[in-house]
Each structure stands twice: as structure tokens, then as C-alpha cells.
Amino acid sequence: MLLQGVVDCAIIEDDAITVLDFKTDRVSAAEAPERAEQYRGQLAAYAYALEELTGRKVTRRILWFLRPNTGVLLPD
């Protein structure tokens, strides 16, 4: 299987990584958590690739919706 994508932002700390992906979907703050679930697979793929490349664990996956300017932390 071949996947192609670009990680918007990876914050690399001593032994962990936070993946931050920006979204332009037009959702309300109340709708953002439900919409974030639609991107779970994308962030899982990014996490897998980063862990393989760096040897560090991705400990947080955050989707940031530009409208309404709110973030959603995806649990593992």
C-alpha cells in the first residue's frame, strides 16, 4: 500500500512527538470533536511514519480547526 501526505507540524521533544494537523473544515466548536474522528486514520498514519523515522513515540495527536479556531486532542 502506498500513502502520500504531509505532516503540517510535528513537535519533537526529547523522547516524544506531538502531531498537529490543521483543517479548514467549516464546523462549529461543538461539531469539531465529531469531525476530528474522520481524520483519525490520517493522523494514525502520520504517527506511524514519524515513529518509524525517528524512533520516538507520538504521544499526542491534535487537529486544529481554523474555523472556529479550536483544537481537538485525539485519544489513542
Side-chain angles (χ1 to χ4, degrees):
M1 180 190 310
L2 174 66
L3 295 175
Q4 182 177 345
V6 177
V7 175
D8 289 335
C9 180
I11 302 166
I12 300 174
E13 301 168 298
D14 291 336
D15 60 348
I17 300 175
T18 297
V19 175
L20 177 59
D21 199 61
F22 298 99
K23 296 297 177 194
T24 58
D25 304 39
R26 291 183 182 266
V27 296
S28 68
E31 295 167 328
E34 183 176 337
R35 181 66 60 91
E37 286 299 321
Q38 295 177 1
Y39 295 104
R40 181 179 288 279
Q42 178 186 3
L43 267 62
Y46 289 167
Y48 175 80
L50 285 166
E51 288 174 352
E52 289 293 310
L53 288 169
T54 66
R56 292 178 173 97
K57 178 86 173 136
V58 172
T59 57
R60 290 188 297 177
R61 297 165 184 86
I62 301 170
L63 284 163
W64 195 269
F65 292 92
L66 298 177
R67 297 175 196 102
N69 195 27
T70 191
V72 176
L73 176 64
L74 286 175
D76 287 337

